[in-house]
């Protein structure tokens, strides 16, 4: 895919949604960090339902730590893998207090040192909470990047690095959100909704669907 096509793709995505946001509900970097940890192999909707109950009661590292694993589990038991996630969140809260004065660190290395925080989670927090140039490649972005030929790669890190290189600089800060939303609602896994796609004429996917 050439640079002119990439530029037009993001121009249109920006035109349709000038200020894209994550669908996870949060009011602080800490709330976002916990929500992203909880969102692994779970829907944003399910996470938002759980945090809507949790955050009014506990939305700081100390308050969640005080709940303990059992107490936290009661709030998040509707989310998949909640037992392991509860342990990771409690340990993360402990480390935030011990190492960072209760604040969420603003570097990838420090974030990835927290339990339950991998490269993708760190990138989401860096980009969304701290507005750093970071690309969190989930299944949606990986699929869209490969299917459209925007930034093909064999694994998520390959796609991440390629996107950081080829996405036009003016659109790079919000590209992560546009691509996730496009993959979630238009360029879906089982059957892309090509007939409803704003970038269908720019996409290089060979097996386009004829209807939406």
């Amino acid at each position: 895919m050439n640079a002119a096509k990439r530029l037009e793709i993001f121009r249109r995505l920006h035109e349709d949604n000038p200020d894209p946001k994550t669908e996870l509900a949060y009011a602080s970097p800490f709330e976002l960090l916990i929500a992203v940890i909880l969102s692994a192999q779970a829907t944003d909707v399910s996470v938002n339902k759980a945090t809507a109950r949790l955050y009014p009661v506990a939305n700081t590292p100390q308050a969640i730590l005080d709940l303990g694993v059992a107490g936290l589990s009661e709030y998040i038991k509707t989310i998949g893998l909640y037992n392991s996630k509860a342990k990771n969140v409690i340990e993360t809260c402990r480390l935030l207090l011990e190492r960072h004065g209760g604040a969420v660190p603003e570097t990838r290395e420090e974030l990835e040192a927290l339990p339950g925080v991998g490269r993708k989670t760190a990138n989401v927090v860096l980009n969304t909470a701290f507005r750093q140039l970071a690309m969190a490649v989930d299944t949606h972005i990986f699929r869209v990047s490969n299917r459209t030929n925007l930034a093909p790669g064999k694994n998520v890190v390959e796609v991440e690095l390629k996107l950081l290189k080829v996405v036009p600089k003016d659109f790079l800060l919000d590209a992560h959100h546009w691509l996730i939303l496009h993959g979630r609602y238009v360029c879906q896994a089982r059957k892309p909704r090509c007939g409803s796609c704003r970038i269908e004429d720019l996409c290089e996917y060979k097996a386009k669907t004829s209807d939406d």
Side-chain angles (χ1 to χ4, degrees):
M1 180 176 285
N2 62 43
K5 273 190 180 180
R6 292 193 184 101
L7 180 61
E8 180 60 14
I9 283 172
F10 284 101
R11 190 198 67 75
R12 292 184 194 177
L13 294 175
H14 172 268
E15 184 178 68
D16 289 352
N17 186 5
D19 190 25
K21 303 290 186 188
T22 178
E23 293 187 318
L24 287 170
Y26 73 99
S28 68
F30 175 72
E31 287 188 3
L32 177 65
L33 172 63
I34 300 307
V36 181
I37 293 174
L38 296 178
S39 72
Q41 299 178 43
T43 66
D44 289 357
V45 172
S46 68
V47 172
N48 288 342
K49 286 181 179 177
T51 56
R53 296 189 299 271
L54 171 65
Y55 288 160
V57 175
N59 69 341
T60 65
Q62 187 64 61
I64 289 182
L65 185 63
D66 290 344
L67 289 175
V69 172
L72 176 59
S73 294
E74 284 301 307
Y75 289 97
I76 66 169
K77 61 185 178 183
T78 53
I79 301 173
L81 308 174
Y82 74 91
N83 278 319
S84 61
K85 289 177 181 178
K87 292 174 185 175
N88 283 337
V89 168
I90 291 296
E91 183 64 8
T92 283
C93 289
R94 185 180 69 78
L95 291 176
L96 287 176
L97 290 163
E98 288 182 2
R99 298 179 182 175
H100 306 288
V104 177
E106 297 185 32
T107 70
R108 182 197 310 284
E109 293 73 24
E110 290 172 312
L111 284 166
E112 288 187 15
L114 300 170
V117 179
R119 186 180 184 92
K120 184 185 77 173
T121 296
N123 281 337
V124 171
V125 173
L126 291 173
N127 178 257
T128 304
F130 300 124
R131 302 303 282 157
Q132 295 183 25
L133 291 178
M135 187 67 64
V137 177
D138 68 350
T139 56
H140 296 300
I141 292 182
F142 184 77
R143 178 176 66 254
V144 170
S145 297
N146 277 286
R147 186 185 272 168
T148 62
N149 208 32
L150 174 69
K154 295 176 182 177
N155 55 59
V156 292
V157 176
E158 266 190 37
V159 170
E160 175 191 330
L161 297 177
K162 194 156 191 179
L163 284 168
L164 288 170
K165 183 179 178 182
V166 303
V167 173
K169 288 185 179 179
D170 288 349
F171 298 110
L172 192 53
L173 196 58
D174 289 318
H176 153 250
H177 294 304
W178 285 315
L179 292 174
I180 281 182
L181 294 170
H182 190 70
R184 187 172 287 166
Y185 297 111
V186 182
C187 197
Q188 296 170 332
R190 289 186 180 180
K191 185 182 180 183
R193 302 178 62 235
C194 298
S196 297
C197 179
R198 275 277 276 140
I199 61 170
E200 181 188 7
D201 58 315
L202 304 166
C203 169
E204 297 179 2
Y205 182 51
K206 290 181 171 62
K208 290 177 183 172
T209 57
S210 58
D211 58 77
D212 60 2

